[in-house]
Amino acid sequence: MALQPSSGGPRRIRVGDGPLARTLLIGTVLLVTALVLVAPLIAIFAEAFRQGIGAYAASFADPDTRYAIGLTVFTALIVVPINVAFGIAAAWCIAKFRFTGRNLLVALVELPFSISPIIAGVAYLFVYGAQGLLGPWLEAHDIKIMFAVPAIILASLFVTAPFVARELIPLMIAQGSEEEEAAVTLGAGGWRILRLVTLPNVRFALLYGAALCNARVMGEFGAVSVVAGNIRGQTNTLPLQIELLYQDNNAIAAFAIATILTAVALVTLVAKAIIERLDARRAALTGEPTVKVAAKAGH
Amino acid sequence: MNRVIPGLPLSLGITLLYLSLIVLLPLGALVWQASGVGLERYLAIMSGGRTASAFQVTLSMAALATLFNAVYGLALAWVLVRYDFPGKRLLDALVDVPFALPTAVAGLALSALFVSNGWFGAPLAALGIKVAYTPLGIAAAMAFTSIPFVVRTVQPVLEDLAADVEEVAATLGASDWRIFTRIIFPAIFPAFLTGASLGFARSLGEFGAIIFIAGNLPMKTEVVSLLTFIRIEEYDYPAAAAIAATLLGLAFVMLFLVNMIQLWQQRRIGRGD
């Protein structure tokens, strides 16, 4: 942030505020960003529309692609609500109470972030696969989880488990428990407090966590590719379908699907920007911390 | 805090049950499977040429990607915190693109850019540099997917940095460079190191973005995550378990390091450093 000029005096100069350093740094960063972050986004659309809009649109006529769209949306519809519920439960016990092992629990909640999706996929295989921990039992009871939709859902649950919790925990800690305590004194029960006090206070963080979780579920590749078994028209989600088409030398269709997932990602980022702005307004009105400030304090 | 607010047993119960089923059970199964391999066989798997080469290329390219992001990420964080210019909000939003964009899509886009007739590939080929289907392609994919880490860890610390120390140093006649290396950089160093470590850890396990651009030649451009995947497809579960468990161990080491750095940072703040 630039400093306000003191009354009458010259503007105080901080490190790097000289015109040369400033221009050089901003210019270099913008150039590199255009190359490494903007160019890939443009390339996706350029490749998808390389043979015109007709070829682009035709990509979506493929029944396998349509199935993949359906499966991806279906997976997100199951995974996002479950991880929203988990995020609320985890944030409630971690933010509102102190108990032994609380820090360990926080680390455990965030653990999936540090684990390669490939490891997650392999780990699930060792639980539900034929030679896995529960494999023989599942086979005896004729339950199919591996290389089927349940495995895709389970792997996605693992990979996105921390998203909502991570947004809620620092904010709920920063907000404190005074309002909830007041509600208890007034005779409100737990569910009522959650619904009428806590959730409204954290609604923006909750929305943002859910949006991120959704984008990640729809785009998850590594974990799902291990557990899905890539069966055409049965276990292909959109990212898997992209790889399949790319290997089939059907680049236009691969990029066409990629434009959908890119759109999901960009909408998520726009939603983030909007949510941050609304949250800043709420914070200004109520004097409470914003999601951003709370996250900072949480570290 | 208090014991007045209800819901601890229920929320803690749900959290523990869910984490046990979704996170601990599979990781436990992986460790169980890997421990069944036996030490001798484990060492044989890990020292095998293909595995060793995969680890070597993964570690070295992750280091290269981290180096790129250390410089670019620091400059990006600096520019976002210290200057006001048109398009700053857009730049800030763009930083999160690698987190929001699916890795397969990123890999697809990067391969389109870096193939020999691509926007980047063609000019680079004229210079005699090949990126796609070489280890450099792996580094490019790793660098892209881990861009946000350094920026997002350094940014808040840089924002909180008090201006007065800098100003006193400037009044005393210290040069900009000296103030940066002696005052600013030491202050943001723990955050910087945290971000770089997180990015490095992420790069070690990266899969989706890499396989589109790497060429995936055994002994040359095959990363550890891909080799794990291939062993699974070959039903060589002991090898897959051994490699995956090693990767998991590396992830825990990185996690431990990051926690140590953060403890160090907190202690420094506590000291009023």
Side-chain angles (χ1 to χ4, degrees):
Chain A
M1 288 294 132
L3 291 162
Q4 291 301 312
S6 49
S7 52
R11 187 174 175 273
R12 285 182 291 180
I13 297 282
R14 288 177 75 181
V15 171
D17 271 1
L20 180 70
R22 194 191 139 90
T23 316
L24 212 64
L25 274 167
I26 295 178
T28 314
V29 164
L30 287 181
L31 179 71
V32 177
T33 304
L35 291 176
V36 302
L37 285 173
V38 180
L41 294 176
I42 298 172
I44 294 163
F45 289 93
E47 293 289 328
F49 289 100
R50 184 181 277 271
Q51 285 168 18
I53 192 141
Y56 175 82
S59 307
F60 298 105
D62 180 356
D64 287 347
T65 297
R66 290 200 172 175
Y67 179 85
I69 295 174
L71 180 57
T72 304
V73 171
F74 176 74
T75 306
L77 283 176
I78 293 185
V79 171
V80 176
I82 292 179
N83 275 338
V84 164
F86 163 68
I88 293 171
W92 184 267
C93 62
I94 288 168
K96 303 289 175 202
F97 302 93
R98 290 208 175 276
F99 47 89
T100 346
R102 182 168 162 270
N103 288 333
L104 189 68
L105 190 61
V106 175
L108 202 57
V109 168
E110 294 196 352
L111 188 59
F113 271 146
S114 314
I115 290 173
S116 165
I118 282 288
I119 300 181
V122 171
Y124 269 98
L125 187 68
F126 291 151
V127 179
Y128 300 102
Q131 272 130 60
L133 216 49
L134 306 178
W137 186 86
L138 290 169
E139 207 163 344
H141 291 77
D142 207 21
I143 304 171
K144 187 150 176 62
I145 290 182
M146 219 55 206
F147 308 125
V149 176
I152 294 175
I153 289 169
L154 284 169
S156 303
L157 283 173
F158 176 101
V159 172
T160 60
F163 278 91
V164 175
R166 192 193 48 165
E167 296 299 322
L168 292 185
I169 291 170
L171 182 65
M172 281 168 65
I173 289 176
Q175 285 180 343
S177 304
E178 281 164 25
E179 289 183 33
E180 281 85 358
E181 280 162 32
V184 169
T185 329
L186 294 173
W191 290 111
R192 230 172 120 79
I193 297 174
L194 179 69
R195 198 161 48 88
L196 298 177
V197 179
T198 309
L199 290 184
N201 277 340
V202 298
R203 62 186 182 275
F204 294 120
L206 187 67
L207 271 175
Y208 178 48
L212 272 182
C213 178
N214 176 66
R216 183 63 198 268
V217 171
M218 291 193 160
E220 178 47 36
F221 180 73
V224 171
S225 66
V226 176
V227 301
N230 262 352
I231 307 163
R232 258 179 222 243
Q234 275 184 42
T235 58
N236 261 5
T237 58
L238 282 177
L240 298 183
Q241 183 70 4
I242 288 179
E243 197 211 3
L244 194 80
L245 291 166
Y246 189 68
Q247 282 176 352
D248 284 353
N249 281 321
N250 193 348
I252 299 285
F255 279 101
I257 297 177
T259 59
I260 308 181
L261 291 173
T262 308
V264 171
L266 293 179
V267 166
T268 306
L269 292 181
V270 170
K272 180 195 176 192
I274 294 172
I275 289 167
E276 264 176 13
R277 208 177 290 190
L278 290 173
D279 187 48
R281 201 181 301 162
R282 175 196 60 90
L285 281 174
T286 59
E288 281 172 356
T290 60
V291 177
K292 228 175 165 176
V293 168
K296 211 193 276 186
H299 276 294
Chain B
M1 292 195 198
N2 68 94
R3 301 219 167 269
V4 199
I5 297 174
L8 177 63
L10 181 64
S11 60
L12 187 59
I14 291 173
T15 306
L16 288 177
L17 180 70
Y18 186 75
L19 286 173
S20 304
L21 287 176
I22 294 296
V23 179
L24 293 179
L25 173 68
L27 292 182
L30 171 59
V31 173
W32 163 73
Q33 192 88 19
S35 62
V37 173
L39 185 63
E40 206 173 319
R41 186 134 177 238
Y42 172 80
L43 291 175
I45 292 166
M46 293 306 293
S47 59
R50 197 166 162 188
T51 319
S53 150
F55 270 96
Q56 201 216 329
V57 76
T58 305
L59 286 165
S60 56
M61 290 307 118
L64 190 61
T66 306
L67 196 66
F68 170 81
N69 278 328
V71 178
Y72 171 54
L74 188 59
L76 196 48
W78 180 271
V79 164
L80 284 174
V81 172
R82 290 300 186 105
Y83 307 133
D84 276 313
F85 52 92
K88 179 170 151 167
R89 292 176 71 112
L90 180 66
L91 183 65
D92 193 54
L94 276 172
V95 171
D96 287 324
V97 163
F99 278 170
L101 198 68
T103 55
V105 174
L108 197 64
L110 291 173
S111 76
L113 289 172
F114 281 108
V115 288
S116 55
N117 59 353
W119 296 345
F120 296 171
L124 285 171
L127 296 169
I129 303 170
K130 262 197 79 167
V131 175
Y133 315 125
T134 74
L136 281 181
I138 298 173
M142 287 172 166
F144 178 84
T145 49
S146 55
I147 284 171
F149 287 104
V150 170
V151 188
R152 293 302 186 218
T153 47
V154 168
Q155 208 176 1
V157 183
L158 206 52
E159 265 166 14
D160 285 349
L161 216 58
D164 50 356
V165 191
E166 258 175 68
E167 279 160 10
V168 169
T171 324
L172 294 173
S175 69
D176 269 16
W177 179 247
R178 207 172 143 83
I179 297 174
F180 181 78
T181 53
R182 292 297 182 83
I183 296 171
I184 300 173
F185 191 69
I188 60 173
F189 186 65
F192 174 71
L193 211 56
T194 302
S197 310
L198 289 171
F200 183 74
R202 166 73 200 254
S203 294
L204 290 182
E206 184 49 42
F207 176 71
I210 294 173
I211 60 164
F212 284 89
I213 193 177
N216 310 321
L217 280 176
M219 311 293 291
K220 286 203 177 81
T221 53
E222 187 178 67
V223 290
V224 178
S225 56
L226 175 64
L227 184 60
T228 316
F229 184 80
I230 289 172
R231 293 299 184 229
I232 287 287
E233 289 205 310
E234 294 169 349
Y235 300 105
D236 187 353
Y237 288 171
I243 300 169
T246 310
L247 212 48
L248 184 66
L250 272 175
F252 275 116
V253 169
M254 295 307 300
L255 209 59
F256 179 74
L257 265 175
V258 166
N259 273 311
M260 285 290 114
I261 298 168
Q262 265 163 0
L263 267 180
W264 174 46
Q265 186 178 16
Q266 276 164 12
R267 222 176 323 161
R268 271 179 27 153
I269 294 168
R271 254 197 356 240
D273 219 353

